[in-house]
Amino acid sequence: MKSISDILPLYGVEHDILLSKRGDLTIAYRLELPELFTLSVSDYETLHQSWLKLIRLLPDGCLLHKQDWFLEERFVGDFQETQGFLGRSSERHFNERPFIQQHSYLMLTMPANTSRKVNSLYSSLLQKRFVPAETMDPAFALSFESVCSQAVRLLADSGLIRCSRLQQDALVQLVNEYLSLDTDGLRRDLDFQDGVRVGENHCVLYTIGDTAALPSHCGPSIRFDPYSTDTSKFPIGFVSSFCQLLPVNHLYQQFIKIENQGELVERLEKKRLRLQSLSAYSRENAFARDAVNLFLQEAVADQRQIVSAHFNLLAWTEQESVLQALRNQCLTAMSTIDAFPKLETVGAPQLYWAGIPGNAADLPSNETFLSFANQAACFLNTETGAVTKGQGFGIRLGDRVSGRPLLVDISDGPMKQGLIANRNKVIISPSGGGKSFTLNHIARSYHEQGAHIVLIDIGHSYRGLCSMVNGTYFTYLDERPLCFNPFFLPAGVTADGEKKESIKTLILALWKKDDEHFTRSEYVALSNAVQGYYEKEIGFRCFDSFYTFLSNDYSIQMKAEVINPSDFDLNNLLFVLRPYYKGGEFDYLLNGQENLDLLHERFIVFELDTIKDHPILLPVVTIMIMDVFIAKMRQLKGERKMLVIEEAWKALMRTGMAEFIKFVYKTLRKYFGEAIVVTQEVEDILSSPIVKQTIIANSDCMILMDLSRYENKFQEVQSMLGLTEKERTMVLSLNKANDPDKKYKEVFVSLAHRQSKVYRVEVSPEEYYCYTTEEKEKLMVTKAAHEWGSMEAGIQSMVAHLQK
C-alpha cells in the first residue's frame, strides 16, 4: 500500500500550468463541441482540417492529450408548488430519466526531455524516484504558452468549437476527478493488482495502440445506418458510436505525439534497409519492407506529417457481475468502425497512469503506432451530447438519444443571437404526423409563460387544452350558436379610433359583398353614425342598440341634414343589416352577453369546422378574429402574443383574410408577437401564393414532421422549402429509429437554415390525454371529465386506471 502523494507524478500548478515532477509542462482547455446529429459531412471535414492545423502548429515532442468524459446521470424533476397539473405530471414522467453527460478537455504537454523514451517497464508508476530537469527556463514556458494559445485559436476559428483555458482550481479538480473516476470529490483507492480498480469501480480498458487494431478505412465521419435511407446518408463522427452513443460510464482518451520528422524518416529508412537484408529469409520481411517503403514514399511525396498515436476506451461499473456485459458493450461499439481493439490487462495500470492530466509524457511508446496526422485525427472525438441552455423562456422538448427534457428556445434566444429576424413559424406535416399534438404542446408552454394566444382551428384539436387552461372556446352548435359583441366597452373606457375603425370594417363587410365597393360618402356617413353611437349614453352596447340608434337617432339626423339617398342609402343599410337584429335569422351573432372582454383573455380558440363553408357566418367570424388579435397587438404593450392558424387558413383565404395574414406576418415582430400557420400537404404551399410568398418567406422558424412519403421526390420539396443538404438528411431521418419502449414522435426545427436540429416530442400520460386528437381518446377524456367534474380530475383518474 502506497500513498498517492508519494507516487503521483505531478508537482503542482503554477500560473495555470500543470507541472510534473520531471518538469513536464501541461496547459489544459475545456472544449465545447458541436452537438451530435447536427453536423453535415462538410462540417466534419471542417473540424478535421482544424485539428490538422493544430497538430501541425505544435512543436516536436509535444503531446496532444484529449479526454472525453461520458458519465451516467439522471434527470431530477423540479416539483415546484407554482407549477400546474400538467407541469407536475411532466416532472414525474421524466424524473430519474437516465442520460449521458459529456465533458471534453484538451491538454497539451511539453516534456522536459523530448528525447526521453518511455515504455511499460519504465513508467513512473513503477519507479521509486523521479529525476527532474535541472532548470526550467521561464522563457520556454512563455513560448510554449504562446504556441498553445495560437493552436486553440485555430480550433475556435472553425466556428464549431469553443475553447476556454482551465485555471488553477479547475486543473486540480480535473486531476482529482480522474483519480476517482467521479465528480463527487471523494478520494478513492487505486488497485492495480488485477487490471485497474478505482475505489468501488471495476474498470475495463480497450486500446487501439498498434496497426493490427486499426480499421481498413477511416475518415472524419461515418454513415449512421439507423438514420440513413436509400436516398440519404446520415453522418456522425467516426468514433461517436463508442463515445456519445455508448450508454455507460466511460472515458475516451486520445494521445497524439508530434515526432521529429527528420529523425523519424531516418529511423524508418534504417528499418527498411534491415528488412531488405532479411527479405530473402522470409516472405513476411519482404511484405514489411514494401509497407515501410510505401509509407515513406507517401510521407515524402505528399509532405505528410508522421505522428505517434494511441487511443483507449476506459469504462467502469460498480457491479462486478456485469463486467462481462460491459466488455461486450464496449467491444461491440468499437467494432462499428471495423476496429480490432485489444483488451488490456497487464499493461492497463501504466495506460491508466499516463492518462492522469499532466502525465501524458508517461505514455508507453510500445502502446503507440506510427500514422499520418490525417488518419490519426479521424480518431479524435468531435461531438458532444445535447445541450440545454438552462432556465428562461422556451419549450420542453426531448434529447433525440435519451429523451432527457431540454428547454428549447426557438423565439427570443435566436432573435438576440441574430439567427432569425422574426419569431413567425410554419409547421408542415402530413395527416397523422403529429402537428396538432406538437402545437398543443407549444401553445401550452407559451400560455404557462404568460403569452396571449389566439388559435383558429378546424377539427376540435384544442378543446382539451382550452378546457384545461380555462380558456375561451368559440364553436357553432345548433343549441348554442356562436355569439360575439364587438360593440361592447368596459365601464369607464371610451372608444378610440381603432375601435371605431373595426366597427366600420364590420358593418361594411355585412353591408357590401366582396365584389361591391363603397363610396367615399358612404364611408363618411358610416363614420358619423359610429361616432354618434359612442357619444350617446347607452345602457348595454351591442348590435341591437346600434341598429336602434341607426333607425331612430341617426335617421332623424339625416332627415334634418337632407342627405341625398344616392350618397348614403340608410334604408338599404338597415334592410341588409336586419337579419342580425333581434328577431332576425342571425340575431344571436353580434349580441353576445358573455366573453365580453376578449382583450385580456389569454387563450382563445375559434373552431370553424361547422361554418367553414357558411357564406355569412364565416366572414363575420373572420372579422371578429382580426379585431380581437389586432386589439391585442396594439394595446397589450410588452406582452407576448401568438396567432395560430391551423388548417383553417384554407377557408379563411376565401373571406378576404389573405391581406390580414400578410399584415400580421410582416408587422407582428414589432409587437412582441409571432404567427404560426400549419399546413398538412406540401402541395398546399405550391397552390397558394399567400403561403409560398408570405408565410414561408416571413417565417424564420420552420418545423417539419415525418415527410418520408415524399422521399422519392424530395428534391422538389427541398427546393420549395429551401432546405440545405444537411437539413434534407435530418428531415428524412425523422422517426427512423425511435425507442420502441417510449411513445413519442420526432420534429425537425430549422432557424432560418442557420441552425437545425431534431427533437423528441415526448410527454407524460396526463399531457398526452390533454393533447390527443384521436376521436376515441377524446371521447374517453370528455366522459371522464364529465364524471369527475373537471378536465384535470378526469385525466388524473384515467391515467391512474390505465397504469394499474
Side-chain angles (χ1 to χ4, degrees), residues 486-732:
F487 298 87
F488 176 78
L489 283 177
V493 178
T494 58
D496 56 13
E498 193 169 297
K499 179 69 174 178
K500 295 172 185 175
E501 283 299 319
S502 69
I503 294 297
K504 284 184 277 185
T505 302
L506 173 64
I507 299 303
L508 287 170
L510 297 176
W511 184 17
K512 302 287 185 177
K513 291 183 179 180
D514 291 342
D515 55 352
E516 288 186 88
H517 297 282
F518 56 86
T519 64
R520 181 65 179 169
S521 58
E522 289 175 330
Y523 181 81
V524 170
L526 195 56
S527 297
N528 291 336
V530 172
Q531 179 72 21
Y533 172 72
Y534 279 105
E535 287 178 351
K536 184 179 179 180
E537 291 290 333
I538 295 176
F540 181 73
R541 297 192 185 275
C542 59
F543 180 82
D544 282 354
S545 61
F546 179 73
Y547 189 91
T548 301
F549 172 81
L550 286 178
S551 56
N552 295 332
D553 297 50
Y554 195 61
S555 177
I556 295 171
Q557 179 182 338
M558 287 192 62
K559 289 178 181 178
E561 295 178 0
V562 192
I563 302 296
N564 194 324
S566 62
D567 293 327
F568 178 65
D569 191 344
L570 179 60
N571 291 328
N572 177 263
L573 175 63
L574 293 172
F575 178 77
V576 173
L577 297 183
R578 185 66 183 81
Y580 306 96
Y581 185 59
K582 55 186 174 184
E585 183 182 2
F586 305 108
D587 61 352
Y588 55 84
L589 189 60
L590 300 172
N591 291 293
Q593 299 188 21
E594 299 177 353
N595 303 319
L596 299 177
D597 187 15
L598 295 181
L599 176 65
H600 297 98
E601 175 56 59
R602 291 204 302 113
F603 198 96
I604 305 172
V605 178
F606 293 93
E607 170 54 56
L608 309 182
D609 193 23
T610 53
I611 63 167
K612 61 181 181 294
D613 298 316
H614 200 289
I616 295 177
L617 294 180
L618 184 61
V620 175
V621 173
T622 299
I623 293 171
M624 290 305 307
I625 295 170
M626 294 163 53
D627 179 56
V628 168
F629 195 74
I630 290 178
K632 288 180 180 290
M633 280 175 58
R634 300 192 187 279
Q635 296 183 41
L636 298 177
K637 306 293 185 182
E639 296 190 53
R640 190 184 304 273
K641 305 101 183 166
M642 176 191 282
L643 175 65
V644 180
I645 307 176
E646 259 264 18
E647 289 297 317
W649 68 266
K650 298 177 187 176
L652 297 175
M653 291 303 114
R654 302 195 300 267
T655 65
M657 202 174 183
E659 292 301 320
F660 169 70
I661 292 178
K662 284 184 180 180
F663 165 75
V664 166
Y665 260 82
K666 291 180 179 180
T667 62
L668 190 51
R669 173 185 60 83
K670 303 174 184 177
Y671 296 95
F672 193 27
E674 58 191 79
I676 302 178
V677 164
V678 183
T679 185
Q680 185 175 111
E681 298 295 338
V682 175
E683 286 77 7
D684 293 338
I685 301 172
L686 291 173
S687 62
S688 172
I690 292 295
V691 177
K692 188 176 180 180
Q693 299 171 12
T694 300
I695 295 177
I696 299 293
N698 291 284
S699 297
D700 279 359
C701 178
M702 183 182 298
I703 300 176
L704 305 180
M705 293 168 203
D706 195 342
L707 297 177
S708 57
R709 68 174 63 177
Y710 300 102
E711 181 179 337
N712 294 326
K713 54 177 181 178
F714 204 80
Q715 193 65 37
E716 182 183 0
V717 177
Q718 180 180 354
S719 174
M720 182 170 45
L721 300 178
L723 300 177
T724 63
E725 281 300 315
K726 177 171 72 173
E727 291 175 328
R728 174 182 183 274
T729 305
M730 288 184 181
V731 173
L732 289 176

Side-chain angles (χ1 to χ4, degrees), residues 756-772:
S756 306
K757 195 176 176 185
V758 173
Y759 299 95
R760 285 190 190 187
V761 181
E762 182 182 347
V763 298
S764 65
E766 290 86 350
E767 292 171 293
Y768 175 83
Y769 285 111
C770 179
Y771 304 158
T772 183

Side-chain angles (χ1 to χ4, degrees), residues 24 42 58 78 110 124 141 240 328 343 364 368 413 508 570 598 762:
D24 306 332
S42 61
L58 297 178
D78 183 13
M110 194 66 189
S124 63
S240 294
N328 294 339
L343 176 62
T368 65
L508 287 170
L570 179 60
L598 295 181
E762 182 182 347

